[in-house]
Amino acid sequence: MARLPVLTFMLAAFALAQNPGGDQQPLSDDKFDYTEACPDYVQYSAYPHRPLSEGPLALPYQRPDPRCRTFHSDAIEKVIDDLTSRMKDPDLARLFENAFPSTTDTTIKFHTGGAKYKSIKDKRSTYNEGKWEGPHSFVITGDIIAEWLRDSTNQLSPYQSLAKKDPAIHQLILGAINTQSEYVIESPYCNAFQPPPISGLPISYNGQDDAVHPTYEPSFVFECKYELDSLAHFLALGNDFNDHTGSTDHLTPRWYMALETLLNVLEQQSQSTFDPDTGRYRRNEYTFSRHTNIGTETLNLQGIGNPLNNGTGLVRSAFRPSDDATILPFFIPANAMMAVELRRTSKMLRAAKQHVLAQTVEKWSQTITDGIWEHGVVRHKHFGDVFAYEVDGYGSSILMDDANYPSLLALPLMGFVDRDDHVYKNTRKMLLSKQANPYYLSGREFHGIGGPHIGLSNAWPMSLLIQAQTSDNDAEILDCIDLVLKSSKLGLVHESVDVNSLGSYTRSWFAWANGVFAETILDVARRKPELIFKDDKPYEI
């Protein structure tokens, strides 16, 4: 790697130290690598930068200098130009301009075509055959140098429709699938991972002292909370890639090994707590215990979690997509997402002539789907039949929703039900009711669904964006978008916002939330263009 001359680098570093949130100053000699002179985006995103938008909110321009961006795509730049040039609201245009490329601008910490990497050989030669070969991409969540399976899949989702047009995006997403495959093969119960060993990037530790079974290697895994939706997101990344490109480049022996590993987890996590024949307790394959004074950060009963009944067809999830522990571990949103992605995967496998495996995958999808309709639908005294958030198979249920995806509110977006399904419509009314959903939060300046992860004063803009995507009501859609826009005073969408003070938020830089905003605008541009454009012509990539 080329290095900046000592004096040039010292001057750049001094300038950044004096003004950590200041505008990035271009350096004079383009032949040098500017990486080390680029400001830390965690700091950079916390301050406004010019030019400001011409709307009443005067939103700042928060994209890094082109030489400091982590990935470039001409197709992404064209989408930004196409949409922003047609938008009525210059503030909304600026937020989209910042949000749509947030993942590629700031979070692609490693990407390679893989040509120079060879198979890793050791005693487990068959197990490791093809390991880390081909394209690979490491996508961090934002202010943490680790990759979450769920976050990275959602971060890349806005670009899937560009993968057929842009070879760079095609390779980026293919690399992400290959990297996730390696993570799933090695540690299928874990949710967040260190940089690939081929990247040369330093690893970091989460600072926790967790007791987890199965054990994992800390130099490979950042955190090992078993979340069923993480595995569903691995499938979704490949399914979306196949849907948009028609490509099966990702169906490598390593991907098939990851799929078999995933199916083994489904088998293990569909087991009941007590043997149905003998009634004896049987320890779950996965246990997690953390020394903490926060109840949602660990599992009760010494890392086991609450008991589950047999014969439900459902699959356990120890943690939610918020990384909070489940209360009743049959977590319905993740089961719904898994059922949908397994069905999509079986269709792809049939097209690839993998009929036996496709049949196995389809059977799992149907079993989980049947389990949701039998055990995950309960009677609410005001709203009728609704989907529960969590159940245990014994008849107990938790009625609520959390802002993180997958959620009950997002069931139509993941393809589990139509938005006109009567049970979903009942559920949606319940979730958006302050009297029915304990985590629907409302204050002087903001409202929406939150969750226990941040606390009882913060709602998540992500929930409003999901609400807009699941609505056909113009006023509701505009209200949701307007609330998110007004809460994004730094020109970026935050993780959560204090409902009584828009200036109090968590995370100035949260790439996933910005990706959801971009997808919401693209959805409105396709379905209801007159709400955001100067004309009524729909836009679709």
Side-chain angles (χ1 to χ4, degrees):
M1 178 184 294
R3 296 293 181 186
L4 293 170
V6 173
L7 179 59
T8 305
F9 178 73
M10 288 178 65
L11 289 173
F14 176 77
L16 291 173
Q18 298 302 307
N19 187 18
D23 295 337
Q24 298 170 101
Q25 300 300 317
L27 302 179
S28 58
D29 195 337
D30 283 339
K31 71 181 181 180
F32 296 113
D33 185 336
Y34 295 95
T35 304
E36 293 195 31
C38 293
D40 181 350
Y41 196 74
V42 175
Q43 290 184 322
Y44 187 82
S45 63
Y47 297 86
H49 303 277
R50 295 182 181 276
L52 305 180
S53 63
E54 296 180 356
L57 296 178
L59 296 184
Y61 179 79
Q62 298 294 70
R63 297 188 68 183
D65 183 280
R67 288 164 293 186
C68 295
R69 296 172 189 170
T70 57
F71 190 87
H72 174 80
S73 163
D74 289 337
I76 289 175
E77 300 303 322
K78 186 177 187 304
V79 171
I80 294 171
D81 291 341
D82 288 347
L83 264 78
T84 57
S85 64
R86 295 176 57 192
M87 286 185 177
K88 292 185 282 189
D89 185 344
D91 292 325
L92 190 66
R94 172 53 55 80
L95 188 55
F96 182 83
E97 181 183 16
N98 291 335
F100 183 59
S102 181
T103 287
T104 47
D105 278 358
T106 64
T107 69
I108 312 300
K109 287 300 183 182
F110 174 74
H111 173 64
T112 178
K116 65 181 180 180
Y117 296 105
K118 303 298 181 183
S119 297
I120 297 175
K121 301 292 185 182
D122 63 17
K123 295 179 181 179
R124 300 183 297 173
S125 58
T126 302
Y127 176 83
N128 286 305
E129 186 174 353
K131 188 175 184 178
W132 298 115
E133 288 187 345
H136 282 276
S137 306
F138 178 61
V139 185
I140 65 170
T141 186
D143 52 4
I144 302 173
I145 308 300
E147 176 173 330
W148 269 252
L149 298 180
R150 169 185 55 259
D151 292 41
S152 58
T153 293
N154 285 295
Q155 286 168 243
L156 293 170
S157 179
Y159 315 125
Q160 287 277 9
S161 55
L162 297 171
K164 192 171 184 177
K165 299 180 179 182
D166 188 343
I169 294 293
H170 185 283
Q171 286 296 99
L172 175 68
I173 297 176
L174 177 60
I177 298 170
N178 290 341
T179 299
Q180 285 199 8
S181 295
E182 297 298 339
Y183 290 152
V184 171
I185 291 168
E186 188 70 23
S187 296
Y189 280 104
C190 299
N191 59 324
F193 297 86
Q194 305 281 9
I198 60 173
S199 70
L201 294 171
I203 63 174
S204 56
Y205 296 100
N206 65 18
Q208 303 294 337
D209 182 19
D210 300 334
V212 182
H213 186 273
T215 57
Y216 61 89
E217 172 52 55
S219 65
F220 188 81
V221 171
F222 180 81
E223 185 177 63
C224 199
K225 290 179 174 178
Y226 161 57
E227 299 159 357
L228 180 61
D229 77 277
S230 290
L231 296 176
H233 274 97
F234 162 67
L235 294 180
L237 185 62
N239 290 333
D240 288 346
F241 180 71
N242 177 256
D243 281 352
H244 285 289
T245 66
S247 173
T248 56
D249 290 350
H250 64 296
L251 298 184
T252 65
R254 302 298 290 177
W255 183 89
Y256 281 109
M257 185 178 292
L259 177 60
E260 291 289 352
T261 304
L262 182 155
L263 294 176
N264 287 337
V265 171
L266 297 187
E267 181 66 38
Q268 292 165 357
Q269 296 307 310
S270 61
Q271 301 298 312
S272 58
T273 305
F274 301 99
D275 188 293
D277 296 323
T278 66
R280 292 181 178 177
Y281 162 71
R282 51 186 179 188
R283 187 178 179 87
N284 195 286
E285 179 67 20
Y286 174 85
T287 59
F288 180 100
S289 182
R290 171 175 291 180
H291 294 289
T292 177
N293 61 0
I294 303 174
T296 54
E297 285 294 305
T298 191
L299 298 180
N300 63 346
L301 293 173
Q302 297 181 313
I304 297 167
N306 286 319
L308 295 171
N309 208 353
N310 65 283
T312 63
L314 298 172
V315 181
R316 176 202 193 207
S317 186
F319 289 87
R320 301 168 177 172
S322 59
D323 295 338
D324 295 330
T326 53
I327 299 172
L328 303 179
F330 285 145
F331 177 54
I332 297 303
N335 273 268
M337 184 179 182
M338 179 59 76
V340 169
E341 297 306 332
L342 287 169
R343 184 171 66 246
R344 296 176 69 199
T345 300
S346 71
K347 181 180 177 181
M348 180 172 58
L349 291 171
R350 291 189 190 281
K353 310 300 182 185
Q354 298 287 334
H355 297 294
V356 175
L357 184 55
Q359 186 174 4
T360 299
V361 170
E362 174 61 32
K363 184 177 179 181
W364 267 111
S365 174
Q366 192 59 54
T367 298
I368 296 171
T369 300
D370 292 344
I372 292 172
W373 285 106
E374 181 177 355
H375 299 280
V377 177
V378 300
R379 189 74 178 175
H380 191 283
K381 65 179 181 179
H382 294 306
F383 297 99
D385 288 342
V386 298
F387 290 105
Y389 191 64
E390 295 170 356
V391 298
D392 61 2
Y394 289 105
S396 297
S397 61
I398 303 292
L399 297 182
M400 59 166 280
D401 206 15
D402 190 291
N404 285 264
Y405 182 94
S407 62
L408 293 179
L409 190 63
L411 287 175
L413 298 184
M414 67 180 76
F416 186 74
V417 292
D418 293 330
R419 67 182 65 191
D420 292 328
D421 178 87
H422 78 281
V423 178
Y424 173 73
K425 291 172 73 174
N426 293 344
T427 305
R428 194 175 190 276
K429 292 176 184 177
M430 176 185 72
L431 301 179
L432 299 177
S433 166
K434 177 67 177 172
Q435 299 305 313
N437 178 5
Y439 290 100
Y440 186 86
L441 307 176
S442 182
R444 293 189 303 271
E445 298 188 359
F446 197 71
H447 60 77
I449 298 173
H453 194 68
I454 301 299
L456 298 176
S457 297
N458 284 44
W460 293 49
M462 192 185 302
S463 73
L464 288 165
L465 298 169
I466 298 298
Q467 182 181 345
Q469 290 186 53
T470 56
S471 175
D472 284 320
N473 183 286
D474 291 1
E476 182 181 12
I477 293 170
L478 287 174
D479 179 62
C480 290
I481 292 176
D482 187 58
L483 272 173
V484 173
L485 182 62
K486 289 178 178 177
S487 71
S488 305
K489 295 182 179 180
L490 280 174
L492 295 166
V493 182
H494 302 306
E495 177 188 48
S496 73
V497 177
D498 189 315
V499 294
N500 292 308
S501 175
L502 294 182
S504 178
Y505 58 84
T506 59
R507 284 180 157 174
S508 58
W509 175 35
F510 188 39
W512 177 12
N514 286 277
V516 178
F517 172 80
E519 287 199 304
T520 303
I521 296 303
L522 288 169
D523 173 66
V524 175
R526 177 181 56 83
R527 290 194 298 131
K528 293 179 176 289
E530 68 280 2
L531 297 184
I532 59 173
F533 288 156
K534 300 169 188 175
D535 55 55
D536 60 357
K537 297 178 181 178
Y539 177 89
E540 191 162 4
I541 296 176

